[in-house]
C-alpha cells in the first residue's frame, strides 16, 4: 500500500532484498507483479532486479540491497583502519565528507572499496550465491555510476567519492531498514547533495 501511494505521487522503483519472495541468488529477479498488484497498476512504478542500474535525470544510479557488503564484511576486518572524515586510495582518489549515524563505518568503507574495485559483489560466487555466468561477470562496473546505493545497512551513511584530480566521481549512500528505523534519504541529482530524513510512528521499532 505504501508503494502504491508513492507511485501515485512520483516515479517509484522497488528492488528485492534477501528476505523477499524471489530468487535467492544474485542477480535477484524483480518482484512478481502479483506481489504488488496495487503498485503495478501505476505506469510510474518499476520492479527492478537486484542489483539494478538505471538512469535518472541523466545520472547513472547503481543500487543493491546490501548483500554484497554484508557478505564481504564476514571475511574482512575493517576495525584496524582509522578512517574518519576522509579516506585516500592508492590511485590518489578519495572518499570525503563521510558521515555515518553509527560509530562503526565499516559498511560505508566496504561500499567505498567496491566502487574503487569496480566490482559490485567481490565475494560472488564463492561465498555469496550468484548465478553461474560463463562469458562475463555481470557484477563488474563498466560505467562509473554517479550514485551508488546499498540497502540493509546497520545505519545511515554517506560520502562523496572523488577522482585523483579532485573532481566528484559519485555519491555513496547506505540506507538502513526503513521498517525498523524510519530513515530514508533525499538526493539532489543535480548537485549530488543528500539529506537524511526520518519518520516515526507506533509501528517503528527502536
Amino acid at each position: 500500500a505504501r508503494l502504491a501511494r508513492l507511485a501515485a505521487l512520483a516515479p517509484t522503483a522497488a528492488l528485492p532484498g534477501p528476505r523477499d519472495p524471489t530468487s535467492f541468488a544474485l542477480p535477484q529477479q524483480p518482484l512478481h507483479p502479483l506481489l504488488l498488484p496495487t503498485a503495478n497498476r501505476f505506469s510510474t512504478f518499476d520492479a527492478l532486479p537486484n542489483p539494478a542500474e538505471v538512469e535518472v535525470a541523466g545520472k547513472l544510479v547503481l543500487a543493491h540491497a546490501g548483500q554484497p557488503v554484508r557478505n564481504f564484511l564476514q571475511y574482512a576486518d575493517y576495525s584496524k583502519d582509522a578512517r574518519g572524515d576522509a579516506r585516500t586510495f592508492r590511485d590518489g582518489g578519495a572518499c570525503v565528507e563521510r558521515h555515518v549515524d553509527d560509530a562503526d563505518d565499516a559498511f560505508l568503507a566496504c561500499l567505498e572499496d567496491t566502487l574503487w574495485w569496480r566490482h559490485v559483489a567481490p565475494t560472488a560466487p564463492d561465498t555469496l550465491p550468484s548465478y553461474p555466468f560463463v562469458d562475463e561477470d555481470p557484477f563488474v562496473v563498466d560505467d562509473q555510476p554517479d550514485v551508488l546505493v546499498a540497502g540493509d545497512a546497520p545505519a545511515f551513511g554517506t560520502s562523496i567519492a572523488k577522482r585523483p584530480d579532485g573532481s566528484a566521481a559519485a555519491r555513496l549512500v547506505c540506507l538502513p531498514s526503513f521498517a525498523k528505523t524510519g530513515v530514508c534519504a533525499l538526493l539532489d541529482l543535480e548537485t549530488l547533495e543528500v539529506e537524511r530524513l526520518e519518520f516515526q510512528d507506533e509501528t517503528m521499532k527502536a
Side-chain angles (χ1 to χ4, degrees):
R2 289 180 179 178
L3 285 176
R5 288 197 292 268
L6 284 174
L9 299 172
T12 305
L15 278 70
R19 293 171 291 277
D20 287 320
T22 183
S23 53
F24 178 71
L26 296 183
Q28 286 182 289
Q29 299 304 299
L31 293 169
H32 194 279
L34 292 179
L35 295 172
L36 300 168
T38 307
N40 274 283
R41 294 174 184 171
F42 294 91
S43 61
T44 52
F45 177 79
D46 284 316
L48 301 177
N50 173 39
E53 187 178 65
V54 295
E55 187 172 326
V56 183
K59 299 291 187 181
L60 188 61
V61 180
L62 177 59
H64 60 75
Q67 297 103 310
V69 175
R70 284 195 170 275
N71 186 263
F72 191 88
L73 288 174
Q74 294 180 28
Y75 307 97
D77 183 7
Y78 279 79
S79 62
K80 298 178 181 179
D81 298 333
R83 291 175 288 270
D85 296 331
R87 294 180 70 206
T88 303
F89 297 89
R90 292 181 180 179
D91 65 353
C95 283
V96 300
E97 300 178 26
R98 304 178 76 250
H99 166 79
V100 180
D101 283 353
D102 196 354
D104 185 2
D105 66 346
F107 192 97
L108 175 61
C110 183
L111 185 65
E112 293 167 345
D113 285 343
T114 62
L115 177 65
W116 244 260
W117 297 331
R118 300 185 75 87
H119 200 285
V120 173
T123 56
D126 299 310
T127 59
L128 182 64
S130 68
Y131 285 105
F133 292 90
V134 177
D135 297 326
E136 62 180 10
D137 186 342
F139 304 117
V140 171
V141 180
D142 294 319
D143 299 318
Q144 171 76 47
D146 297 295
V147 181
L148 176 58
V149 181
D152 202 24
F156 173 81
T158 185
S159 67
I160 282 283
K162 291 196 172 183
R163 300 181 181 90
D165 63 5
S167 61
R171 164 67 71 176
L172 294 90
V173 182
C174 303
L175 292 174
S177 168
F178 181 79
K180 295 180 179 179
T181 66
V183 172
C184 60
L186 184 64
L187 176 66
D188 186 326
L189 287 172
E190 184 175 349
T191 64
L192 295 184
E193 291 296 318
V194 65
E195 180 181 356
R196 176 189 182 279
L197 302 178
E198 184 172 355
F199 301 87
Q200 290 290 344
D201 62 27
E202 64 276 4
T203 65
M204 298 295 180
K205 298 179 181 179

